[in-house]
Amino acid sequence: MIDKNAFTARLKFLRERNGWSQRETSLALGFTATSYRDIELNIKKVSIDDLVSLAELFNVPEEWLLHGRQESLRADVKKDIEAHLEKLKSQLTQM
């Protein structure tokens, strides 16, 4: 089963990692701005074609987008994710 919140969090992470706005991401995908926003907000369901387009744009395996299995990631993406997780942990401990 796919954790929809984790899926959309991975999309947001990848978009921000690239320094793109939702609008810029939607243009790169050929989506309307509201269509991509709705995907990221978990309002719109993602088709298989959309999933493939997202994976290609962000250069990550579809399996990672869906399930977050890090063994399928490139080393540089994995490193960025680990750094992001450490930052989040640090923020949580400061609360």
Side-chain angles (χ1 to χ4, degrees), residues 9 13 16 79-89:
F13 166 77
E16 290 176 345
K79 183 178 176 183
D80 285 351
I81 290 169
E82 289 168 355
H84 182 70
L85 289 173
E86 286 302 315
K87 181 180 173 185
L88 291 173
K89 286 178 188 176

Side-chain angles (χ1 to χ4, degrees), residues 4-60:
K4 294 177 186 174
N5 292 327
F7 173 77
T8 58
R10 285 189 283 278
L11 286 180
K12 183 177 179 183
F13 166 77
L14 291 168
R15 177 178 59 77
E16 290 176 345
R17 178 178 183 262
N18 285 291
W20 299 338
S21 66
Q22 287 180 342
R23 180 169 171 69
E24 290 168 323
T25 304
S26 66
L27 290 172
L29 290 163
F31 295 177
T32 65
T34 55
S35 181
Y36 178 77
R37 183 204 66 212
D38 289 352
I39 290 171
E40 200 172 283
L41 293 174
N42 201 16
I43 296 169
K44 180 182 184 292
K45 291 184 179 183
V46 177
S47 71
I48 299 278
D49 291 338
D50 292 346
L51 177 65
V52 170
S53 295
L54 289 161
E56 288 176 354
L57 177 67
F58 293 124
N59 198 23
V60 296

